[in-house]
Amino acid sequence: MKDQYDVIVIGAGPGGSSAAKAAAEKGLSVLMIEKRQEIGDPVRCAEGVSKVWLRKHIEPDHRWICADVKGSRIFSPDGSMIEMAEEIAGGEVGYVLERKIFDRALACESAKAGADVMVKTRATGLIIEDHFVRGVKLMHLGEEREIRSKVVIGADGVESKVGRWAGIDTSLKPKDIETCAQFLMSGTGIDQNYCYFYLGNEIAPSGYIWVFPKGQGLANVGIGILGSKSGKKHAIDYLKEFVAKKFPDAKVLEIDVGGVPVSGSIDKTIANGLMLVGDAARQSDPITGGGIINAMEAGKMAGEVAFEAISKNDVSTATLGLYEKKWRQKIGMDIDNSLIVKDIFTGFTDKEIDSLAHSLEGVNFSSMSLLDLLYALFKANKKLLWDLRVLFKNVVKYELDFER
Amino acid sequence: MTIKVNKFKCGYCGACVSVCLPGALELVETWIEVDDSCTSCGICAKICPVGAIEVSR
Ligand SMILES: Cc1cc2nc3c(=O)[nH]c(=O)nc-3n(C[C@H](O)[C@H](O)[C@H](O)COP(=O)(O)OP(=O)(O)OC[C@H]3O[C@@H](n4cnc5c(N)ncnc54)[C@H](O)[C@@H]3O)c2cc1C
Ligand code: SF4
Ligand code: SF4
């Protein structure tokens, strides 16, 4: 094991592996460390991912694709259904993955590109000298060590400490996190061609229940509720209630739990010698909770910027600011728009959600983007959705008639 | 001041770590460790998806 690398990546999720791969492909020496003994396990994900976006990063492989979905069915509290074809819901559906195998495949890609990988190795702190991050303190199989590097990339997920060690406060408030529980179930009898979403404050306060097909008659049945609504009852209690009613005969084969940041983009994701990516940088989508693709996008950008910075011999925030600029341009806008939508929708009563669903009756979704859908909703419900108008301001094709 | 994590319930997901303001929590591999900066604010117990945390004052 070397004690000096160009780049150390902390965390081997989709964000970390994409960063490690991008940096290694540029010819940098890269070490990726992962505290778990098995990359990808336990899963904290519903495993839905957009096909289009996924293909930008990796060729789909049947070994980690469980289901290929055709669309989404969204149920409002009174049971009204909105059906959307894949292209619209495309943000989050398309394929349902097997994350245990997918995450390992991504790590393998970075290893093939030349990165060293160490599992059962936990970062316990940063080496900071003259206001620059210059390496990582770690614990490997009970032994403490220090490894130096020019750049550190923090891809340590929702529980991230890397940012905090460098003085970036990434702590989340209860209203900034969806707290989630999921069962992998057999015998739900769902149509494997669709992803299902159930809305309502009774069943999932300021969140939703999802049922994603996992092939061979299996399904991920999960729930996310806003942290500020959790307490007396926890996510798992709501999930058990739903499952008892909806799928009384289905069997639980696996339990997954987790938290998704829904804070929207945070002020700062870099320090001298340091970049944060993925859930560590709170880059998951505040409406859907989807974070796989954003983590991969950001990871790739961070790996490439690490190369530029090291080539220029300047790893200060002056150069790493390029990463910050790039990710805000590419994914930050969508994250911020989603935050606006989340803040509006989490305030609705069940009656209001029902009336929104009814207002979409008869609307043809076949060639709509998610923004088109929101615009259709907005037009039919201006009073309720007045605060959404900022989303459409800069989009030329929407005729803006901002009369309430 | 501290908390008690029921390790038989905990799914080692790290959600509690993300909401702890003083940074008192750490997800090691399959367990949560608490250090003495815990203020017993109770936020981690509130948001834990499975209700594995109890606050002791
Ligand atoms: C219930 C649930 C459902 C979800 N559903 C979806 C979905 O359907 N689609 C979607 O796109 N997203 C979904 N997400 C979000 C998605 O799982 C995350 O956004 C994604 O995993 C983020 O990738 P990442 O690489 O940033 O972090 P992670 O995948 O969390 O990886 C971080 C890694 O860092 C490691 N690590 C942490 N600290 C250290 C340390 N100190 N030293 C070494 N290693 C460390 C961790 O062990 C972990 O392996 C869901 C999340 C949850 C909780
Ligand atoms: S939030 Fe709950 S389940 Fe998750 S690690 Fe903390 S105590 Fe365990
Ligand atoms: S009670 Fe508050 S301070 Fe103590 S561990 Fe939980 S969140 Fe942190």
Side-chain angles (χ1 to χ4, degrees):
Chain A
M1 199 195 312
K2 297 199 286 187
D3 51 15
Q4 167 85 52
Y5 284 86
D6 289 328
V7 178
I8 299 177
V9 178
I10 302 172
S17 285
S18 304
K21 182 182 173 197
E25 277 177 343
K26 293 279 188 192
L28 298 178
S29 66
V30 180
L31 170 67
M32 176 164 69
I33 64 170
E34 168 56 55
K35 69 182 170 190
R36 299 170 172 191
Q37 63 182 18
E38 284 175 53
I39 289 169
D41 188 56
V43 169
R44 18 185 209 198
C45 190
E47 313 183 288
V49 78
S50 136
K51 288 183 195 173
V52 187
W53 280 99
L54 183 72
R55 278 210 196 89
K56 291 185 184 168
H57 292 274
I58 186 168
E59 214 25 63
D61 185 329
H62 65 91
R63 280 174 302 179
W64 40 257
I65 291 175
C66 297
D68 184 343
V69 299
K70 310 239 164 335
S72 293
R73 291 176 170 166
I74 304 170
F75 295 88
S76 77
D78 70 3
S80 310
M81 183 178 82
I82 299 167
E83 185 168 319
M84 298 198 293
E86 180 189 336
E87 309 85 64
I88 318 167
E92 295 322 309
V93 301
Y95 292 126
V96 180
L97 307 172
E98 187 71 80
R99 280 284 302 266
K100 289 172 197 172
I101 303 179
F102 177 71
D103 283 22
R104 198 203 293 155
L106 292 180
C108 186
E109 294 265 306
S110 63
K112 275 196 272 181
D116 285 347
V117 183
M118 282 169 78
V119 293
K120 233 169 155 58
T121 305
R122 179 171 59 98
T124 56
L126 296 171
I127 303 169
I128 299 178
E129 291 164 358
D130 313 321
H131 308 290
F132 272 78
V133 174
R134 303 216 192 262
V136 177
K137 299 176 184 169
L138 54 83
M139 166 90 86
H140 174 64
L141 304 175
E143 238 176 77
E144 290 183 52
R145 296 206 31 181
E146 292 192 0
I147 302 185
R148 300 181 69 84
S149 66
K150 295 173 185 154
V151 170
V152 171
I153 297 178
D156 49 337
V158 68
E159 77 263 42
S160 179
K161 284 281 183 74
V162 174
R164 296 187 195 214
W165 291 330
I168 305 170
D169 179 13
T170 53
S171 66
L172 297 170
K173 298 190 178 67
K175 70 166 177 46
D176 292 333
I177 186 170
E178 286 279 331
T179 149
C180 308
Q182 172 175 275
F183 295 145
L184 172 65
M185 302 191 89
S186 74
T188 59
I190 60 155
D191 179 342
Q192 291 273 337
N193 290 309
Y194 290 92
C195 283
Y196 301 80
F197 299 89
Y198 297 84
L199 308 178
N201 289 300
E202 290 276 314
I203 57 165
S206 301
Y208 60 86
I209 287 174
W210 63 83
V211 181
F212 286 5
K214 274 208 69 166
Q216 300 178 330
L218 301 179
N220 279 337
V221 183
I223 183 171
I225 65 174
L226 205 60
S228 51
K229 301 284 170 78
S230 169
K232 276 199 206 84
K233 270 162 80 179
H234 296 265
I236 194 126
D237 304 317
Y238 288 98
L239 180 62
K240 282 183 186 156
E241 280 175 13
F242 177 82
V243 163
K245 256 200 208 142
K246 186 89 184 162
F247 305 123
D249 299 324
K251 310 272 160 64
V252 177
L253 303 184
E254 181 178 308
I255 301 178
D256 307 304
V257 291
V260 196
V262 291
S263 55
S265 51
I266 56 175
D267 292 344
K268 207 175 141 203
T269 56
I270 54 167
N272 291 325
L274 177 79
M275 290 176 272
L276 298 177
V277 307
D279 278 10
R282 309 325 189 191
Q283 285 162 335
S284 37
D285 185 285
I287 318 178
T288 61
I292 301 172
I293 297 294
N294 283 356
M296 293 176 78
E297 287 281 322
K300 184 160 182 277
M301 291 179 223
E304 289 167 358
V305 169
F307 171 72
E308 282 186 47
I310 290 170
S311 310
K312 271 173 55 182
N313 216 356
D314 174 13
V315 297
S316 74
T317 51
T319 311
L320 300 187
L322 193 58
Y323 161 69
E324 185 120 60
K325 204 171 134 200
K326 280 187 171 178
W327 82 256
R328 287 187 198 281
Q329 262 170 10
K330 191 131 189 227
I331 56 176
M333 254 248 290
D334 285 343
I335 294 174
D336 291 340
N337 281 345
S338 288
L339 183 66
I340 297 171
V341 180
K342 171 212 150 195
D343 284 343
I344 295 171
F345 277 75
T346 51
F348 285 151
T349 62
D350 284 5
K351 267 218 171 97
E352 286 168 328
I353 302 173
D354 284 331
S355 83
L356 287 176
H358 299 161
S359 77
L360 287 178
E361 265 167 30
V363 175
N364 177 7
F365 294 126
S366 53
S367 61
M368 276 190 165
S369 71
L370 189 60
L371 199 62
D372 292 338
L373 173 75
L374 287 169
Y375 187 61
L377 266 175
F378 173 73
K379 276 205 311 200
N381 305 274
K382 275 200 192 145
K383 215 163 148 194
L384 205 52
L385 297 177
W386 187 237
D387 294 339
L388 273 188
R389 68 193 181 284
V390 290
L391 296 188
F392 316 114
K393 233 182 0 221
N394 301 322
V395 184
V396 182
K397 70 175 166 173
Y398 302 122
E399 318 140 23
L400 276 190
D401 150 31
F402 278 142
E403 296 291 310
R404 252 202 240 223
Chain B
M1 288 194 276
T2 189
I3 55 157
K4 246 184 19 219
V5 181
N6 182 339
K7 66 174 182 225
F8 301 107
K9 267 193 183 179
C10 170
Y12 36 102
C13 69
C16 51
V17 179
S18 72
V19 296
C20 178
L21 196 61
L25 298 178
E26 170 83 353
L27 171 59
V28 180
E29 280 180 48
T30 54
W31 69 92
I32 289 289
E33 284 185 358
V34 196
D35 72 23
D36 49 20
S37 62
C38 169
T39 61
S40 284
C41 72
I43 293 177
C44 56
K46 179 179 168 67
I47 67 93
C48 170
V50 294
I53 302 179
E54 229 179 273
V55 184
S56 30
R57 279 172 208 274

